[in-house]
């Protein structure tokens, strides 16, 4: 059953002030509103926990991660039902997302047991080296301390309470304070119960994990400015993320803010591919564009193509495919309103024509397709702003040079995609140096809405896609965000951390 409360260092804490979720159907549920005082309690407990959890063995932490996964699965039916109620996401999507969530917890367990992430190095002493001897120096990655994680609106499981940021931090040895998202507090409540059960089963310090529900912006500000918090993981809007980033930078002790903020994820359709299979690409794009009502951070919102008959056919085929998509429920009323406003902004922009329009209202979303020229795109920066929802834009370039200019004009992206055939290799080679500077992931002949959780994935990119281009929020490399290198000079082996053994 729901607690409706915050989890603070093993205790379920309520309060007089409450907020309710916004269910698609059924009766709203009530939850306690977070406060800065609760943030302080959670951060203090996390710091206390760090002195044991931060120095626990990799095997102990791996066991804990697997126990969390098992406890989440044990509550699977309740989590799915609540997720459908709060977000409008279909049951199959939520079951799949739960599998991704438990899978990445288990992946991190395997990863830390292998030990490669520690990046252990050893330069042996050279006492006879001239003109100066060299000391014995070792290096290893160590956990940074308590970490704050913000739940995301569009992934109530995989990017929220026990999502990738939390899994990476716990794997590294960092206690976590989660600021729950008000879009799905019920799901967050059930997942926090699972983590609490795993803490008890594994004998982990209860301060290792706390969750403070939303309902109050002061909670987010208090989390990122608390002096005991050493890093922040965030997935959300550019405006909200940038405000939190600025707070982190303005602290007396600035800390890293690992924010994934948004991206239009452009696709570049090269001539050979468009001529040979433009209709197939159009159908695939329409499916990717509308998946989950377009509420994926990797939704490919822009297609760049060189003008001509094949481009015209591609645009028409995309519009026809999108017209077959019905209305979908968006995650929150606020997200739906932002989508409607974004649609109106694009449709009212000079030089943009409507290819396929529809009608949507309230919490619903239907697809829209617009087209503009590369010249208009290059002259108007607002066309490159993300619209969160199933809206697509086709940009037609007059030639290869103008297509390259569009690529060079891009802000930082999570992904860039090439649709190409063998005959397009020359143009693809021209684009590749630009695209790899613009995005964290470059792919060919696919759609970026599938983000594989694995060793080689990068989910991040230059600003404003993310606030730290050297990091990823998906995949095992994401653990690096919550570690720092420490050198040990002439430290006796009996005193060195056990992980050197």
């Amino acid at each position: 059953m729901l607690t409706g409360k915050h989890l603070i260092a093993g205790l379920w804490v309520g309060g007089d002030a409450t907020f309710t979720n916004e269910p698609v159907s059924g009766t709203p549920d009530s939850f306690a509103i977070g406060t800065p005082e609760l943030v302080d309690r959670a951060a203090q407990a996390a710091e206390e926990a760090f002195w044991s959890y931060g120095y626990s063995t990799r095997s102990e932490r791996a066991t804990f991660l697997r126990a969390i996964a098992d406890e989440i699965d044990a509550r699977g039916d309740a989590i799915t039902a609540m997720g459908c109620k709060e977000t409008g996401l279909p049951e199959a999507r939520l079951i799949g997302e739960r599998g991704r969530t438990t899978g990445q917890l288990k992946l991190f367990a395997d990863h830390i047991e292998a030990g490669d992430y520690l990046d252990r190095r050893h330069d042996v002493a050279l006492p006879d080296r001239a003109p100066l001897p060299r000391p014995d120096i070792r290096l290893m990655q160590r956990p940074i301390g308590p970490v704050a994680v913000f739940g995301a609106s569009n992934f109530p499981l995989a990017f929220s309470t026990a999502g990738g940021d939390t899994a990476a931090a716990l794997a590294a040895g960092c206690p976590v304070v989660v600021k729950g998202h008000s879009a799905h507090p019920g799901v967050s409540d059930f997942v926090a119960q699972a983590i609490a059960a795993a803490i008890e089963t594994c004998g982990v310090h209860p301060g290792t994990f706390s969750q403070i529900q939303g309902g109050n912006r002061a909670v987010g500000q208090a989390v990122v400015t608390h002096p005991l918090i050493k890093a922040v993981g965030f997935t959300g809007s550019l405006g909200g993320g940038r405000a939190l980033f600025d707070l982190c930078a303005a602290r007396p002790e600035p800390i890293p803010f690992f924010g994934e903020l948004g991206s239009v994820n452009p696709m570049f359709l090269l001539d050979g591919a468009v001529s040979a299979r433009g209709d197939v690409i159009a159908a695939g794009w329409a499916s990717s564009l509308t998946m989950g009502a377009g509420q994926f951070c990797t939704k490919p919102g822009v297609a760049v193509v060189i003008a001509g008959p094949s481009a015209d056919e591609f645009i028409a085929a995309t519009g026809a495919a999108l017209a077959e998509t019905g209305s979908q429920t968006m995650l929150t009323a606020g997200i739906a309103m932002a989508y409607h406003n974004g649609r109106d902004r694009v449709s009212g922009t000079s030089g943009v024509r409507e290819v396929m329009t529809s009608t949507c209202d309230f919490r619903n979303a239907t697809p829209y397709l617009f087209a503009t020229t590369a010249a208009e795109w290059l002259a108007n920066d607002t066309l490159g702003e993300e619209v969160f929802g199933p809206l697509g834009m086709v940009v037609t370039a007059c030639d290869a040079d103008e297509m390259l200019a569009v690529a060079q004009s891009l802000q930082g992206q999570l992904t860039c995609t090439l649709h190409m055939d063998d005959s397009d290799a020359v143009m693809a080679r021209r684009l590749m140096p630009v695209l790899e500077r613009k995005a964290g992931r470059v792919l060919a002949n696919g759609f970026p809405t599938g983000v594989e959780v694995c060793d080689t994935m990068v989910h991040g990119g230059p600003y404003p896609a993310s606030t730290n281009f050297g990091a990823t929020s998906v995949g095992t490399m994401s653990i690096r965000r919550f570690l720092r290198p420490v050198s040990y000079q002439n430290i006796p082996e009996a005193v060195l951390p056990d992980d050197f053994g």
Side-chain angles (χ1 to χ4, degrees), residues 173-259:
C174 298
V176 173
V177 176
V178 168
K179 191 271 186 184
H181 200 288
S182 56
H184 45 75
V187 172
S188 300
D189 189 309
F190 282 136
V191 177
Q193 291 181 45
I195 298 175
I199 286 174
E200 184 173 353
T201 299
C202 297
V204 172
H205 190 295
T208 298
F209 177 86
S210 293
Q211 175 171 267
I212 302 156
Q213 289 284 15
N216 187 346
R217 288 189 176 183
V219 171
Q221 296 172 352
V223 166
V224 301
T225 57
H226 198 286
L228 295 177
I229 296 297
K230 300 304 180 184
V232 177
F234 174 89
T235 298
S237 69
L238 175 59
R242 181 54 195 255
L244 295 173
F245 173 84
D246 290 344
L247 287 174
C248 287
R251 289 173 33 143
E253 178 201 3
I255 59 171
F257 179 85
F258 298 104

Side-chain angles (χ1 to χ4, degrees), residues 363-454:
R363 197 169 162 175
N364 299 317
T366 50
Y368 291 82
L369 182 65
F370 298 92
T372 191
T373 65
E376 294 285 354
W377 172 277
L378 293 169
N380 191 341
D381 291 341
T382 63
L383 293 177
E385 295 177 5
E386 180 185 24
V387 178
F388 197 61
L391 183 149
M393 172 79 72
V394 180
V395 179
T396 54
C398 63
D399 55 26
D401 288 340
E402 197 169 47
M403 176 180 275
L404 187 64
V406 170
Q408 291 170 333
S409 75
L410 293 170
Q411 293 185 308
Q413 304 292 326
L414 294 172
T415 74
C416 287
T417 300
L418 287 169
H419 285 277
M420 57 173 291
D421 281 354
D422 291 344
S423 61
D424 297 314
V426 172
M427 184 59 190
R429 281 195 293 268
R430 290 186 68 190
L431 284 166
M432 277 297 292
V434 178
L435 301 187
E436 69 179 18
R437 290 190 66 186
K438 299 293 183 177
R441 176 163 58 115
V442 182
L443 56 154
N445 297 329
F447 299 93
T449 36
V451 182
E452 186 72 24
V453 182
C454 60

Side-chain angles (χ1 to χ4, degrees), residues 103-158:
Q104 61 195 10
L105 286 162
K106 295 173 183 177
L107 177 66
F108 273 110
D110 294 341
H111 185 63
I112 60 175
E113 283 182 332
D116 294 343
Y117 79 99
L118 294 167
D119 192 19
R120 290 169 287 203
R121 306 182 186 198
H122 187 193
D123 287 308
V124 298
L126 298 175
D128 299 326
R129 189 183 67 176
L132 294 173
R134 184 176 76 186
D136 183 271
I137 306 175
R138 299 172 189 254
L139 178 145
M140 186 168 64
Q141 302 290 332
R142 302 299 288 159
I144 60 174
V147 167
V149 171
F150 282 70
S153 63
N154 58 335
F155 280 87
L157 291 164

